[in-house]
Amino acid sequence: MESELQTRKKGEIQVCPNRLTIEFRNLSYSVQEKKVSARNEQQIAILRDVSGKFRSGRLTAVLGPSGAGKSSLLNVLSGFKINGVTGCILVNGVERDLEEFGRQCCYITQDCYLMDLLTTRETLAVAASFKLNPKIGKQERNVMINDILELLGLRKAAHTRVGSLSGGEKKRLSIAQELLTNPPVMFFDEPTSGLDSSSSLQVISHLKSLAQGGRTVVCTIHQPSSRLFEMFDDLYILAEGQCLYNGAVNDMTSVFEEAGFQCPKYYNRADFAIEVACRERGANIEKLVAKNEKEAFANEKEDPDGVIGEQTTMLRPSLHTAVQVAADSLGSRYPISVWRQICVLLRRSVLCTVRDLHLAQLRLAAHVVVGLFLGGVYYGIGDEASKVPSNTACLMFFMMFLFFCNLFPFVHSFPVEKLVVMREHLNNWYSLEAYHISKLIAELPLQILCPTGFLLSAYFLTGQPPDGTRFLQFWAVYVLLAALAQSLGLVTGAAVEPQLGVFVVSIPMLIFSF
C-alpha cells in the first residue's frame, strides 16, 4: 500500500499498478420468465453469443438501444449475475476466478445508492475503513481522502450531507469510494443518467483520466453528444443481445460503411450507431454481427503464443501479485475481519440514528402514550381474581402492540437500505452476516428503552402485582418479543416487497400475541 501512496501526487490521477484486459467469448445470458397463461417457464435470451475485449488504459463505451443488453453485459462481466450465464470470460488470458476478480474490480450502478445522513467526507472515511488495510494510519487515510476529494472536485462539498448533493456530485462520490483501493477494472452503468451536459462532461472527463492511469474503464451510455462521444477510446455496440462492433471509435464508420451503412456527413456518430442498431438505417444488421464474430474468431485463431500469449505472460505475474497481497491481508474476500466490519457498520448506524432522532423519539413516545391509554382502559384489573378474563385480554393487547410496533417499522426500513447494502456487499466491502449483527446491536438501546417505557406507564396502572421479580419477568418477555419482532421484520423486508410484507407478517403477529 505504501507504493500506492507514493504513486499518487496531489491533483493527479493515481496510476494503476496492475493492468487487466478482459476478454469474453460466446457469452450468453438468459433469464426465466413465467408465462401468465401457463405454468411452464420461458427462457428469454438477453445476450446471445457475444464476444469482445476491453483493454486496459482505454475508456470503452457500451452503446445500444434500450433492451439491447448493455447493463446485463456489465452485470455478467462483473460477477453480479452468474445464473443463466454461459461462455468464457478471460482476465489477462486466464479464465476468470470470480472471487479473485471481485477484489480487482468495482461496479458503480446507474443509481447512486448512498447514506443520505452522512457527509461526503464521512462517506469516504467509512469506505476507507472497509476497503483499506487496517495497518494504514489515520493520517495517511486523511491524505488519501483529501487527494480524492480534490481530484473529483468534491472539496467544497466535503462537509455537505449526501442527501443535499447534486446528481453529478453523487456520481463522483460513488466513483471516489471505489478509487480508494485503486481498482484496475471499473464498470459504470449509465454514469451520465439524469445529468445535464456540463455534469456529464465532467464525469466522463474523470473516467477518461482514470483510464489514462492504466485502468480498464467500461461504461454503458445512452445517446451521448458528439463531444462526449469523442472522449471514448473504444466502442462496443449491442443490438438485440448481439454485438455489432467492437473496436476503436474512429474506425466505426468505416466498418459500418463496408457493411452498407453510410454515415451522413457532420452527423453524430453515436446517433448513427443507435439508428443502425434499431434497424432504422436498414434491416440487415446481421452483416455487422457476422463480421464482428469473424474478426473475434480470427483473433482467437491467431498464434496462441503471439500477441495474446505475450500479453498473458507479461501481465499474469502482476495479477498474481495483487491477488496474493489481498489474500495475505484478508484471509477471505473482504479486506477487514468480520469483527472490524461490525464495528464500522455499528458506528455508521449510530451516527445516522443520532442525526435522525425524530423516528426514535416518535417510537418512544408512541410506546409511552399507548401504555398510558391501555393502562386507563384496563385500570386496576390486575389485582382482582374476578377480572382474570379482562386481565388476559389486557396482556394480549400488550403483546400485540409491542409485536406490531416493533415489527412493521423494520419491514419498511430495510428496503430503504437494501440497495446500499447490496452494492457494498457485491463490491466486497462486508458480509451480510456482519450487517445483520450490527443492525441488531444498533437497535438494541431502543429495543430495551421502548418496552421499558411502555411497561412503566401501563404495568402499574392496570394493577399488576407490585412484585419486582414478576415485573422483571414481564420486562424480559416483552424485550425478547420486541427483538423477535425486529428480526422477523428485517427478514420479511429482505425477502419480499414492503406492500406484500405487511400482509405476510400479519398472521405471525396474531399467532405470537396469544
Side-chain angles (χ1 to χ4, degrees):
M1 189 61 66
E2 292 180 359
S3 61
E4 292 185 11
L5 292 174
Q6 292 172 357
T7 57
R8 182 190 290 107
K9 295 182 180 180
K10 187 174 181 180
E12 294 183 1
I13 291 289
Q14 181 184 0
V15 176
C16 181
N18 302 314
R19 292 174 175 260
L20 304 183
T21 294
I22 303 172
E23 185 177 358
F24 49 97
R25 301 168 184 170
N26 301 114
L27 194 63
S28 296
Y29 171 60
S30 59
V31 295
Q32 292 183 344
E33 185 179 80
K34 290 185 178 181
K35 293 183 178 180
V36 177
S37 59
R39 294 183 179 179
N40 60 329
E41 295 182 343
Q42 180 183 10
Q43 288 280 352
I44 298 179
I46 307 298
L47 298 174
R48 297 186 290 172
D49 289 328
V50 296
S51 300
K53 181 183 291 187
F54 298 142
R55 297 171 175 82
S56 62
R58 300 180 71 82
L59 177 60
T60 304
V62 180
L63 196 64
S66 299
K70 303 187 297 296
S71 298
S72 297
L73 178 61
L74 295 195
N75 288 333
V76 170
L77 293 178
S78 61
F80 275 38
K81 298 289 185 182
I82 55 176
N83 295 326
V85 178
T86 60
C88 181
I89 301 176
L90 305 176
V91 180
N92 284 352
V94 181
E95 187 171 355
R96 181 190 65 174
D97 183 292
L98 190 57
E99 184 174 341
E100 293 181 355
F101 185 66
R103 303 184 192 129
Q104 299 293 313
C105 79
C106 69
Y107 183 24
I108 292 117
T109 55
Q110 178 177 351
D111 297 314
C112 301
Y113 303 124
L114 301 166
M115 304 297 287
D116 289 343
L117 295 175
L118 299 180
T119 65
T120 301
R121 176 177 287 278
E122 289 168 347
T123 301
L124 290 180
V126 169
S129 299
F130 283 122
K131 298 170 73 65
L132 296 182
N133 194 311
K135 296 180 181 180
I136 298 179
K138 184 176 180 180
Q139 184 176 358
E140 291 176 317
R141 293 190 182 191
N142 288 333
V143 171
M144 297 175 68
I145 291 172
N146 290 335
D147 288 348
I148 292 176
L149 288 173
E150 187 72 30
L151 169 67
L152 296 179
L154 293 171
R155 173 74 74 175
K156 294 182 179 179
H159 301 288
T160 303
R161 291 190 182 182
V162 172
S164 301
L165 296 178
S166 65
E169 289 172 330
K170 288 183 179 180
K171 294 277 187 182
R172 282 177 275 151
L173 180 57
S174 297
I175 299 172
Q177 286 181 306
E178 304 301 337
L179 278 181
L180 288 165
T181 51
N182 193 21
V185 181
M186 304 186 76
F187 295 107
F188 297 87
D189 188 14
E190 297 281 0
T192 61
S193 176
L195 302 182
D196 55 45
S197 58
S198 177
S199 299
S200 298
L201 182 63
Q202 193 173 27
V203 169
I204 297 300
S205 298
H206 289 308
L207 299 188
K208 178 76 170 180
S209 300
L210 293 174
Q212 290 174 344
R215 300 169 186 81
T216 304
V217 182
V218 183
C219 63
T220 64
I221 194 161
H222 185 68
Q223 282 192 317
S225 64
S226 298
R227 190 176 180 186
L228 284 183
F229 190 75
E230 294 294 336
M231 300 184 69
F232 290 97
D233 301 309
D234 293 332
L235 196 60
Y236 195 90
I237 302 177
L238 282 170
E240 302 171 3
Q242 296 177 299
C243 179
L244 303 185
Y245 177 76
N246 180 206
V249 170
N250 295 331
D251 298 336
M252 183 200 74
T253 53
S254 60
V255 172
F256 275 43
E257 187 175 349
E258 291 177 5
F261 299 96
Q262 182 70 39
C263 180
K265 196 174 182 180
Y266 307 118
Y267 201 77
N268 186 349
R269 290 181 292 172
D271 292 339
F272 171 71
I274 295 291
E275 291 171 2
V276 171
C278 293
R279 299 180 185 268
E280 295 180 7
R281 297 274 177 175
N284 192 15
I285 62 173
E286 285 71 19
K287 288 184 179 180
L288 289 171
V289 175
K291 181 178 178 60
N292 182 73
E293 290 180 353
K294 182 179 180 181
E295 291 181 354
F297 282 104
N299 293 333
E300 181 181 350
K301 291 179 181 179
E302 288 180 356
D303 183 8
D305 296 326
V307 178
I308 297 177
E310 182 181 352
Q311 184 184 45
T312 302
T313 305
M314 178 180 64
L315 295 178
R316 187 183 296 139
S318 64
L319 175 63
H320 265 317
T321 302
V323 172
Q324 187 62 43
V325 170
D328 289 343
S329 60
L330 309 183
S332 68
R333 60 183 288 192
Y334 305 107
I336 57 178
S337 64
V338 175
W339 170 247
R340 188 171 177 84
Q341 293 172 27
I342 295 174
C343 292
V344 176
L345 286 167
L346 182 60
R347 187 167 63 248
R348 183 174 72 174
S349 298
V350 171
L351 182 59
C352 292
T353 302
V354 169
R355 289 185 177 171
D356 188 19
L357 289 175
H358 184 64
L359 180 60
Q361 293 169 348
L362 283 178
R363 285 179 60 186
L364 180 59
H367 279 76
V368 174
V369 171
V370 174
L372 292 173
F373 176 76
L374 291 177
V377 171
Y378 294 97
Y379 182 76
I381 65 169
D383 57 354
E384 295 184 20
S386 61
K387 298 180 180 179
V388 168
S390 297
N391 196 27
T392 301
C394 173
L395 297 179
M396 185 195 73
F397 280 116
F398 280 13
M399 299 185 73
M400 284 186 65
F401 169 73
L402 285 173
F403 198 84
F404 171 84
C405 200
N406 290 278
L407 175 70
F408 285 106
F410 290 95
V411 174
H412 290 274
S413 67
F414 180 76
V416 176
E417 298 183 11
K418 181 179 179 180
L419 298 175
V420 178
V421 173
M422 292 306 297
R423 179 185 67 84
E424 295 174 346
H425 170 66
L426 290 174
N427 279 326
N428 298 321
W429 288 27
Y430 51 80
S431 64
L432 294 179
E433 294 82 1
Y435 171 78
H436 183 68
I437 294 172
S438 67
K439 191 72 175 177
L440 293 178
I441 296 175
E443 291 291 334
L444 192 59
L446 278 178
Q447 292 301 324
I448 295 175
L449 189 60
C450 290
T452 302
F454 175 80
L455 277 181
L456 289 176
S457 59
Y459 184 87
F460 298 104
L461 282 176
T462 55
Q464 305 300 328
D467 182 8
T469 302
R470 187 182 292 263
F471 178 82
L472 288 177
Q473 290 174 344
F474 264 84
W475 177 83
V477 169
Y478 288 153
V479 168
L480 291 175
L481 181 66
L484 175 63
Q486 175 190 343
S487 298
L488 183 60
L490 286 173
V491 171
T492 305
V496 298
E497 295 295 327
Q499 295 83 357
L500 181 60
V502 173
F503 172 77
V504 169
V505 298
S506 298
I507 296 176
M509 180 187 71
L510 294 175
I511 293 175
F512 284 109
S513 297
F514 285 96

